[in-house]
Amino acid sequence: QVQLVESGGGLVQPGGSLRLSCAASGTIFSLYIWGWYRQAPGKQRELVATITNEGRINYADSVKGRFTISRGNAKSMVYLQMNSLKPEDTAIYYCYAAFTVGYWGQGTQVTVSS
């Protein structure tokens, strides 16, 4: 079993920055792909960014050039640095990790508003 716990969400003004963290525990050695997804009110959950153990990174077009996904040295952490935030980035952000089975965190709220 794997547990994922997100932190770092909050309220920020447009143009501001936030850094989300995801701490993984349990049987993490089997995990291959890590990522962040988000879900805005009334919308489907969508991919934000993913990173594999080999370091392959994928971003949604809407966040390219503004968001950066990374892994911690201990490999049990994954981060999402979010810069130049826009109101449309407002959503619950979920950490995700998978190999043959996928795991989700409980989510952290990000609100971009003046």
Side-chain angles (χ1 to χ4, degrees):
Q1 277 286 38
V2 172
Q3 295 79 42
L4 303 173
V5 179
E6 304 97 333
S7 60
L11 173 64
V12 63
Q13 292 187 341
S17 298
L18 281 176
R19 189 192 194 207
L20 304 183
S21 299
C22 174
S25 60
T27 315
I28 65 173
F29 67 88
S30 63
L31 299 174
Y32 175 73
I33 187 165
W34 305 71
W36 292 93
Y37 286 71
R38 67 186 181 186
Q39 188 167 16
K43 294 187 177 182
Q44 290 187 333
R45 192 172 297 189
E46 63 177 5
L47 180 146
V48 176
T50 58
I51 183 169
T52 69
N53 284 351
E54 299 162 346
R56 295 177 184 171
I57 293 175
N58 180 49
Y59 293 105
D61 288 343
S62 59
V63 306
K64 282 181 181 176
R66 300 189 298 123
F67 291 10
T68 303
I69 189 171
S70 62
R71 296 279 306 279
N73 289 334
K75 302 303 181 185
S76 62
M77 298 292 297
V78 61
Y79 304 99
L80 186 68
Q81 178 67 42
M82 305 186 294
N83 299 328
S84 302
L85 282 161
K86 305 175 182 180
E88 51 264 43
D89 294 317
T90 295
I92 299 174
Y93 284 71
Y94 297 90
C95 180
Y96 173 79
F99 182 53
T100 56
V101 177
Y103 301 91
W104 294 93
Q106 82 288 351
T108 185
Q109 177 71 47
V110 172
T111 302
V112 184
S113 175
S114 55

